Amino acid sequence: MNPLVDGISALLDISVLLYMLVGLLLGFMVGAFPGITATMAIALAAGFTLTLEPVQGLAVLLTIYVAANFGDRVPSILINTPGTPASIATTLDGYPMAKQGRAGLALTISAIVSAIGILASLVLFALVAVPVANFARDYFRSPELFALVVFGIAIMIGISSKSMIKGILAGAFGLMLGTVGTYSATADQRFTFGILELVEGLNFIAVIIGLFGIAELFDQMLTYHQNKIKPVSSLGRWWPNRAELKQTRRALGVGGAVGLGVGLVPAAGGDIAGLIGWERARKVSKHPEMFGKGSIEGITASDTASSATLGGSLTTTMALGIPGDSVMAVMIGSMIIWGIAPGPNLFANRPDLVVSITGIMLIATLLSLALSLVRMRGMVKLLDVPHPYLWSGILIFCIIGTFATSNSLSTVVTMLVFGVIGLLMKRMAVPAGPVVLGLLLGPLAEENFARTLAILPTRPFFEVFSPIALVLLALAVLSIAVPAIRNARRPAGSRASLADSILEDEVVDDIEQKHAALQYLPDPRTDTIRTQAELDELMRRPNRTPTSTVENPADAPKDEK
């Protein structure tokens, strides 16, 4: 039958819609709770979806992925705390808008431009994924596949690491974990130490939940302190007028272009795209001085860019088998368990599934937009849930979800062990992303490297290693060398990962001063909208210095208006 018809008909099953609704609610809740990332939620949900049909399971996981990109804007705007890393740039102008009495407007604009960004990225996926998959299927052999995996791991190290040495060690650790179990080429058992549970290798879902879920949970429990910033309760009006919509046009284009481009780079997630989009929009804006003070252009550019990465990440994942981010790494792990191998052959063997994936993303985006445009005062209440209750629930679900993957307590032990390892890595500033990529792609790299070595003695070097393989290997070296050189030229105290070094120090200082001054402003009264002139006057008052803090919001000077 026609793959398009088959793919769409698979979505007409009522069970798929019900699973999407479950993913929608989970995704919004995950985004609304600061500290619970989409990777953590999808890894946890994966344990419960392994017994479902592939389309049903993908309906849950992909909808969580999409909905989290809407829900995470709520805490970013209302309490100046990113719900997930992808919404870091949202805080730059979203929270100032909330303090001006325009929280509802910020939430609406954020939802609309996020939907536009995701829909644009799905168009990119539809246009680019098939040609990329066909090219890879025609020209990628063992040397090229090995070089592609090396490039994917290298770029993850280069983007996520402050220290290249720590990043390389994390990648090597992940590759080492990938060797545990039975080697497919010779059926030899490696590093199993006589433990039966290790014969098939480490449970990928247990490792993911441990590194991203349990580690984050332990870290929050050890470092938790009461947030003195209360959610802005007065949301004001919700719908933008014609003049405000006009302000978004240029920023929408800039942010969309940045997000679509960044999304195609493996490991470059929404946090990087959002910051780059915000900075690019600031430089082309007619009013750059308003950025960081509640600019509609700022929140438009950042949220469009961060959301537009989803389609690019999906493209590299499905067409090349290289996860675009940590969420897609979990997705690949789940698909492999279902017997589906992402990569060039997926488009030839299961084109109907590709259609279903696109349809799920499209429907999930429209459902998330509809839910976002509802006045979600109940979502604001989620920010007041006591953290101990939240931690207890997460821990219980982590244990149940991990146990469900194999019905073995050894899997739960693996999860807890990697939770402790993940906590130590966080404390030592070692990124977890390269570990996951090494574990997931290590066997693929080893298999293709072994084939390449077997071919090499029988053919000339440049006949085995094509220009494509050599270019990918060169890019892998550059993706580590360039960030290392950049950090080496900076003082030791100011070295940072790519996401932390996108904005110049002067811009960061300016934003910090603007946001510090905002802390003194009392929450706006219902239906009160402060003009920028009024805010500037309040910030200029002598007793409102940007560097001081207010322990109790009630002690802050009251607006005399």
Side-chain angles (χ1 to χ4, degrees), residues 75-97:
S76 298
I77 292 170
L78 299 183
I79 62 174
N80 200 28
T81 303
T84 68
S87 63
I88 289 174
T90 308
T91 63
L92 303 182
D93 284 292
Y95 184 64
M97 287 184 69

Side-chain angles (χ1 to χ4, degrees), residues 198-282:
L198 295 180
V199 170
E200 296 183 359
L202 292 168
N203 186 294
F204 180 74
I205 300 297
V207 174
I208 283 282
I209 294 178
L211 289 177
F212 289 99
I214 298 298
E216 180 65 31
L217 182 66
F218 288 167
D219 187 60
Q220 288 191 27
M221 292 172 67
L222 293 174
T223 61
Y224 174 72
H225 60 276
Q226 187 69 35
N227 191 352
K228 297 182 175 64
I229 301 177
K230 299 298 182 182
V232 175
S233 56
S234 176
L235 303 184
R237 66 183 175 91
W238 284 71
W239 293 102
N241 55 39
R242 182 174 299 179
E244 289 164 339
L245 288 174
K246 188 176 180 181
Q247 292 181 49
T248 65
R249 291 178 184 174
R250 180 179 300 180
L252 187 67
V254 172
V258 169
L260 294 176
V262 172
L264 290 172
V265 180
D271 53 342
I272 293 174
L275 291 170
I276 294 177
W278 185 90
E279 178 65 5
R280 293 297 100 192
R282 185 181 69 87

Side-chain angles (χ1 to χ4, degrees), residues 80-118:
N80 200 28
T81 303
T84 68
S87 63
I88 289 174
T90 308
T91 63
L92 303 182
D93 284 292
Y95 184 64
M97 287 184 69
K99 295 295 284 188
Q100 295 167 14
R102 299 190 295 166
L105 179 63
L107 290 169
T108 299
I109 291 177
S110 173
I112 293 173
V113 300
S114 294
I116 293 174
I118 297 175

Side-chain angles (χ1 to χ4, degrees), residues 215-499:
E216 180 65 31
L217 182 66
F218 288 167
D219 187 60
Q220 288 191 27
M221 292 172 67
L222 293 174
T223 61
Y224 174 72
H225 60 276
Q226 187 69 35
N227 191 352
K228 297 182 175 64
I229 301 177
K230 299 298 182 182
V232 175
S233 56
S234 176
L235 303 184
R237 66 183 175 91
W238 284 71
W239 293 102
N241 55 39
R242 182 174 299 179
E244 289 164 339
L245 288 174
K246 188 176 180 181
Q247 292 181 49
T248 65
R249 291 178 184 174
R250 180 179 300 180
L252 187 67
V254 172
V258 169
L260 294 176
V262 172
L264 290 172
V265 180
D271 53 342
I272 293 174
L275 291 170
I276 294 177
W278 185 90
E279 178 65 5
R280 293 297 100 192
R282 185 181 69 87
K283 290 188 175 181
V284 302
S285 173
K286 296 180 180 179
H287 303 285
E289 72 283 355
M290 295 302 298
F291 279 63
K293 298 169 73 173
S295 169
I296 289 178
E297 292 179 274
I299 195 171
T300 298
S302 61
D303 286 3
T304 306
S306 62
S307 298
T309 60
L310 268 66
S313 177
L314 192 66
T315 300
T316 58
T317 302
M318 298 301 166
L320 298 176
I322 302 297
D325 52 29
S326 55
V327 173
M328 283 297 155
V330 181
M331 208 76 69
I332 288 179
S334 298
M335 293 177 72
I336 290 174
I337 294 174
W338 286 320
I340 302 170
N345 292 326
L346 176 66
F347 288 76
N349 300 333
R350 293 294 306 273
D352 58 311
L353 185 62
V354 177
V355 173
S356 296
I357 289 172
T358 307
I360 290 170
M361 294 279 286
L362 175 62
I363 297 172
T365 301
L366 297 178
L367 290 175
S368 298
L369 175 61
L371 184 58
S372 297
L373 295 181
V374 176
R375 298 198 174 193
M376 298 179 299
R377 298 187 183 276
M379 188 67 71
V380 178
K381 295 296 183 182
L382 291 176
L383 300 175
D384 295 327
V385 174
H387 279 72
Y389 297 150
L390 187 61
W391 296 332
S392 302
I394 292 173
L395 182 59
I396 291 172
F397 278 103
C398 282
I399 293 173
I400 296 174
T402 305
F403 182 80
T405 62
S406 63
N407 294 324
S408 173
L409 287 177
S410 63
T411 310
V412 178
V413 173
T414 300
M415 175 198 71
L416 295 175
V417 168
F418 277 93
V420 174
I421 293 174
L423 176 62
L424 295 176
M425 291 174 62
K426 288 176 72 71
R427 294 306 176 90
M428 294 186 293
V430 177
V435 177
V436 173
L437 228 59
L439 172 62
L440 179 64
L441 301 179
L444 177 64
E446 182 183 23
E447 180 181 346
N448 285 286
F449 184 60
R451 290 176 182 172
T452 303
L453 290 179
I455 298 171
L456 194 58
T458 64
R459 296 183 185 178
F461 179 84
F462 287 104
E463 185 178 332
V464 176
F465 283 93
S466 67
I468 296 174
L470 295 176
V471 168
L472 288 172
L473 290 174
L475 290 175
V477 173
L478 289 175
S479 64
I480 293 179
V482 171
I485 294 172
R486 182 197 69 213
N487 274 340
R489 298 174 64 180
R490 303 180 62 160
S494 62
R495 294 175 184 173
S497 63
L498 177 60

Side-chain angles (χ1 to χ4, degrees), residues 517 546 560:
E560 296 174 1

